[in-house]
PDB file of all heavy atoms in Angstrom:
ATOM      1  N   GLY C1418      -0.377  15.626 -13.947  1.00  0.00           N
ATOM      2  CA  GLY C1418      -0.428  16.438 -15.150  1.00  0.00           C
ATOM      3  C   GLY C1418      -1.297  17.671 -15.019  1.00  0.00           C
ATOM      4  O   GLY C1418      -1.215  18.574 -15.854  1.00  0.00           O
ATOM      5  N   ASP C1419      -2.139  17.709 -13.982  1.00  0.00           N
ATOM      6  CA  ASP C1419      -2.968  18.893 -13.731  1.00  0.00           C
ATOM      7  C   ASP C1419      -2.272  19.805 -12.720  1.00  0.00           C
ATOM      8  O   ASP C1419      -1.455  19.355 -11.919  1.00  0.00           O
ATOM      9  CB  ASP C1419      -4.336  18.485 -13.187  1.00  0.00           C
ATOM     10  CG  ASP C1419      -5.130  17.644 -14.168  1.00  0.00           C
ATOM     11  OD1 ASP C1419      -5.047  17.925 -15.384  1.00  0.00           O
ATOM     12  OD2 ASP C1419      -5.827  16.714 -13.724  1.00  0.00           O
ATOM     13  N   ARG C1420      -2.648  21.070 -12.737  1.00  0.00           N
ATOM     14  CA  ARG C1420      -2.049  22.050 -11.842  1.00  0.00           C
ATOM     15  C   ARG C1420      -3.132  22.767 -11.047  1.00  0.00           C
ATOM     16  O   ARG C1420      -4.193  23.091 -11.578  1.00  0.00           O
ATOM     17  CB  ARG C1420      -1.212  23.058 -12.637  1.00  0.00           C
ATOM     18  CG  ARG C1420      -0.071  22.402 -13.410  1.00  0.00           C
ATOM     19  CD  ARG C1420       0.476  23.296 -14.506  1.00  0.00           C
ATOM     20  NE  ARG C1420       1.228  24.417 -13.978  1.00  0.00           N
ATOM     21  CZ  ARG C1420       1.134  25.667 -14.443  1.00  0.00           C
ATOM     22  NH1 ARG C1420       0.303  25.954 -15.422  1.00  0.00           N
ATOM     23  NH2 ARG C1420       1.856  26.617 -13.924  1.00  0.00           N
ATOM     24  N   ASP C1452       1.203  30.501 -16.346  1.00  0.00           N
ATOM     25  CA  ASP C1452       0.986  29.795 -17.601  1.00  0.00           C
ATOM     26  C   ASP C1452      -0.299  28.986 -17.435  1.00  0.00           C
ATOM     27  O   ASP C1452      -0.385  28.114 -16.561  1.00  0.00           O
ATOM     28  CB  ASP C1452       2.174  28.866 -17.869  1.00  0.00           C
ATOM     29  CG  ASP C1452       2.027  28.077 -19.157  1.00  0.00           C
ATOM     30  OD1 ASP C1452       0.949  28.155 -19.789  1.00  0.00           O
ATOM     31  OD2 ASP C1452       2.980  27.364 -19.524  1.00  0.00           O
ATOM     32  N   PRO C1453      -1.331  29.233 -18.243  1.00  0.00           N
ATOM     33  CA  PRO C1453      -2.597  28.529 -18.041  1.00  0.00           C
ATOM     34  C   PRO C1453      -2.591  27.072 -18.499  1.00  0.00           C
ATOM     35  O   PRO C1453      -3.543  26.340 -18.220  1.00  0.00           O
ATOM     36  CB  PRO C1453      -3.585  29.350 -18.872  1.00  0.00           C
ATOM     37  CG  PRO C1453      -2.745  29.974 -19.945  1.00  0.00           C
ATOM     38  CD  PRO C1453      -1.409  30.241 -19.307  1.00  0.00           C
ATOM     39  N   ALA C1454      -1.517  26.641 -19.167  1.00  0.00           N
ATOM     40  CA  ALA C1454      -1.461  25.258 -19.650  1.00  0.00           C
ATOM     41  C   ALA C1454      -1.536  24.279 -18.484  1.00  0.00           C
ATOM     42  O   ALA C1454      -0.724  24.336 -17.559  1.00  0.00           O
ATOM     43  CB  ALA C1454      -0.173  25.030 -20.436  1.00  0.00           C
ATOM     44  N   GLY C1455      -2.522  23.407 -18.513  1.00  0.00           N
ATOM     45  CA  GLY C1455      -2.672  22.405 -17.460  1.00  0.00           C
ATOM     46  C   GLY C1455      -3.248  22.927 -16.163  1.00  0.00           C
ATOM     47  O   GLY C1455      -3.439  22.159 -15.215  1.00  0.00           O
ATOM     48  N   LEU C1456      -3.522  24.227 -16.091  1.00  0.00           N
ATOM     49  CA  LEU C1456      -4.066  24.817 -14.865  1.00  0.00           C
ATOM     50  C   LEU C1456      -5.572  24.558 -14.829  1.00  0.00           C
ATOM     51  O   LEU C1456      -6.325  25.094 -15.643  1.00  0.00           O
ATOM     52  CB  LEU C1456      -3.772  26.311 -14.829  1.00  0.00           C
ATOM     53  CG  LEU C1456      -4.224  27.072 -13.575  1.00  0.00           C
ATOM     54  CD1 LEU C1456      -3.586  26.500 -12.326  1.00  0.00           C
ATOM     55  CD2 LEU C1456      -3.899  28.565 -13.712  1.00  0.00           C
ATOM     56  N   LYS C1457      -6.011  23.744 -13.888  1.00  0.00           N
ATOM     57  CA  LYS C1457      -7.412  23.339 -13.832  1.00  0.00           C
ATOM     58  C   LYS C1457      -8.189  24.027 -12.717  1.00  0.00           C
ATOM     59  O   LYS C1457      -9.407  24.174 -12.824  1.00  0.00           O
ATOM     60  CB  LYS C1457      -7.493  21.816 -13.647  1.00  0.00           C
ATOM     61  CG  LYS C1457      -6.868  21.022 -14.782  1.00  0.00           C
ATOM     62  CD  LYS C1457      -7.603  21.255 -16.087  1.00  0.00           C
ATOM     63  CE  LYS C1457      -6.967  20.515 -17.241  1.00  0.00           C
ATOM     64  NZ  LYS C1457      -7.049  19.048 -17.082  1.00  0.00           N
TER      65      LYS C1457
END
Side-chain angles (χ1 to χ4, degrees):
D1419 297 323
R1420 300 162 71 223
D1452 180 354
L1456 183 59
K1457 299 296 178 65

